[in-house]
């Protein structure tokens, strides 16, 4: 399985290398230049970007704190987390988490590099269950050869920002991280609304059924793939939009050379990373400008001329440009990949 995982990673690396061209500068990849991790706190529309360092955003834990985050779990316990419900914790009371991009069948971890600094993997050795824990303990070999603890097949992590027993700051981060429930499933929901797990599972099943129906449609009846195209805006000129017609923006605090992501934490509640697109779905803009970069949490993001691009939650309909010039930091992108500094009409 380890050989298969390495083969999979090698294939993914080749794909990313082809898409990202030389983004990031030198021989470094987009994953080499940042040490920031995202967080999922809320923010009202219009905040622009998160203030402060965002806790772990300035680096990982050090000294005794780092050792504690990488220590064996000892005897796992079930604790009640306010607004979430019962969650699984390690022997010292630190909350344990699972990552949606991992898999349980078969177990596989996809959190490496900077991701693993923000989410330290829990070692497989010296771990035991306790009363009330219904999920089976196991282990999985990581890409670096170390063994990681699994719960119901899911790799187990701690969160670097959880400073004290009972902290659940990792719940809902990036929409992909959740505390473990005693049965190995995701505990509660990011906003503390219990009972949504079943609803989410039903929604997923519904989506699968819809996907199956789409596959059965004749090719000409299938919806067009989402992509990137150019729209003529009366005030801004030719600007880039996504497949839903939403204006794409870049953030002055990000950096293409070297690759850095400054929109993290609460910023991501307002400015959503644009999804990568297939080259075949690019219209009216040089294909070489359209690339894919990897964010600190391991998710992929669309980039234009190596700059990560976002859509603005304040834009309520296709063609809106209400994000233009926000805080003097957010700007639409033209058909040559450059930021548009003209004020919106």
């Amino acid at each position: 399985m380890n050989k298969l995982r390495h083969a999979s990673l090698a294939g993914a690396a080749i794909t990313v290398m082809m898409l990202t061209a030389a983004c990031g500068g030198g021989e470094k990849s987009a994953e080499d230049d940042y040490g920031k991790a995202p967080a999922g706190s809320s923010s009202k529309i219009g905040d622009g970007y998160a203030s402060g360092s965002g806790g772990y955003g300035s680096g990982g834990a050090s000294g005794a704190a780092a050792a504690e985050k990488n220590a064996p779990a000892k005897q796992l316990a079930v604790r009640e987390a306010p607004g979430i419900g019962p969650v699984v914790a390690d022997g010292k009371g630190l909350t344990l988490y699972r990552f949606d991009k991992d898999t349980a069948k078969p177990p596989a971890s996809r959190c490496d590099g900077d991701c693993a600094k923000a989410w330290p993997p829990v070692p497989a050795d010296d771990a035991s269950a306790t009363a009330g824990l219904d999920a089976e303990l196991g282990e999985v070999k990581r890409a670096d050869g170390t063994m990681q603890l699994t719960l119901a097949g899911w790799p187990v992590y701690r969160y670097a920002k959880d400073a004290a027993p009972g902290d659940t700051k990792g719940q809902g981060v990036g929409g992909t991280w959740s505390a473990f429930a005693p049965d190995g499933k995701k505990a509660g929901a990011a906003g503390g609304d219990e009972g949504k797990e079943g609803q989410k599972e039903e929604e997923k099943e519904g989506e699968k059924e819809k996907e199956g129906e789409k596959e059965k449609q004749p090719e000409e009846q299938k919806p067009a793939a989402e992509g990137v195209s150019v729209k003529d805006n009366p005030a801004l000129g030719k600007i880039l939009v996504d497949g839903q017609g939403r204006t794409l923006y870049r953030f002055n605090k990000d950096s293409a050379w070297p690759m850095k992501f400054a929109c993290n934490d609460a910023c991501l509640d307002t400015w959503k990373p644009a999804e990568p697109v297939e080259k075949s779905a690019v219209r009216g803009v040089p294909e070489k400008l359209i690339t894919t970069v990897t964010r600190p949490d391991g998710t992929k993001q669309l980039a234009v001329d190596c700059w990560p691009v976002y859509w603005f939650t304040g834009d309520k309909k296709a063609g809106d440009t209400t994000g233009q010039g926000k805080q003097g930091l957010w700007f639409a992108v033209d058909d040559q990949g450059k930021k548009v500094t003209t004020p919106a009409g």
Side-chain angles (χ1 to χ4, degrees):
M1 183 175 74
N2 196 32
K3 289 183 180 178
L4 288 174
R5 173 164 170 73
H6 279 294
S8 176
L9 286 172
I14 291 171
T15 301
V16 171
M17 188 165 22
M18 291 172 64
L19 289 173
T20 57
C23 291
E27 296 182 355
K28 292 184 178 181
S29 71
E31 295 170 296
D32 293 330
D33 291 308
Y34 49 70
K36 297 184 178 181
S41 56
S42 61
S43 172
K44 62 181 181 296
I45 289 175
D47 282 351
Y49 58 94
S51 60
S53 65
Y56 189 75
S58 58
S62 60
E68 184 175 272
K69 290 292 191 299
N70 291 284
K74 302 291 185 180
Q75 186 175 43
L76 305 187
V78 177
R79 297 175 178 271
E80 190 70 22
I84 300 175
V87 300
V88 180
D90 67 11
K92 292 190 175 181
L94 293 174
T95 304
L96 301 179
Y97 298 90
R98 49 176 275 181
F99 184 32
D100 283 354
K101 294 186 179 295
D102 288 346
T103 58
K105 296 179 181 180
S109 169
R110 290 180 173 80
C111 179
D112 299 297
D114 287 324
C115 176
K117 293 176 184 177
W119 302 89
V122 177
D125 59 312
D126 199 8
S128 59
T130 188
L133 188 64
D134 302 324
E136 183 179 354
L137 274 61
E139 61 182 26
V140 62
K141 182 178 284 189
R142 294 177 54 78
D144 61 5
T146 60
M147 302 303 293
Q148 181 176 359
L149 179 66
T150 63
L151 196 58
W154 290 94
V156 180
Y157 305 84
R158 298 182 179 96
Y159 185 40
K161 279 189 178 181
D162 283 351
D167 280 356
T168 55
K169 296 176 182 177
Q171 178 73 352
V173 167
T176 55
W177 291 90
S178 305
F180 272 102
D183 59 0
K185 295 181 180 179
K186 292 186 278 190
D193 188 2
E194 298 178 40
K196 284 190 177 179
E197 183 67 33
Q199 179 182 339
K200 288 182 179 179
E201 292 300 324
E202 290 177 6
E203 290 174 354
K204 287 181 181 177
E205 289 301 319
E207 289 299 321
K208 287 181 181 178
E209 290 179 7
K210 289 179 182 178
E211 288 299 322
E213 291 173 2
K214 287 180 183 179
E215 290 300 321
K216 295 176 183 177
Q217 295 176 14
E219 189 66 31
E220 63 273 12
Q221 292 182 14
K222 291 184 180 180
E226 289 194 8
V228 174
S229 59
V230 178
K231 180 178 178 61
D232 283 310
N233 180 276
L236 305 181
K238 295 182 181 296
I239 59 173
L240 300 189
V241 297
D242 67 8
Q244 297 182 42
R246 296 177 300 204
T247 302
L248 296 175
Y249 300 89
R250 62 185 245 189
F251 185 32
N252 270 7
K253 287 183 176 286
D254 283 347
S255 171
W257 306 92
M259 178 65 63
K260 292 184 184 296
F261 295 84
C263 183
N264 298 295
D265 303 327
C267 176
L268 295 178
D269 293 325
T270 303
W271 301 89
K272 302 296 185 181
E275 295 286 336
V277 301
E278 297 290 338
K279 293 281 189 176
S280 60
V282 177
R283 301 285 185 272
V285 58
E287 287 186 4
K288 65 181 181 180
L289 295 179
I290 305 300
T291 55
T292 299
V293 293
T294 306
R295 294 188 56 80
D297 64 355
T299 58
K300 305 296 183 183
Q301 180 174 359
L302 176 68
V304 178
D305 196 22
C306 291
W307 282 85
V309 291
Y310 308 77
W311 56 271
F312 180 45
T313 57
D315 286 345
K316 299 306 181 183
K317 64 182 184 300
D320 278 357
T321 56
T322 58
Q324 177 68 0
K326 280 284 184 183
Q327 286 81 39
L329 296 169
W330 293 91
F331 299 95
V333 182
D334 69 17
D335 59 342
Q336 298 302 311
K338 306 302 181 185
K339 69 178 180 182
V340 178
T341 56
T342 306

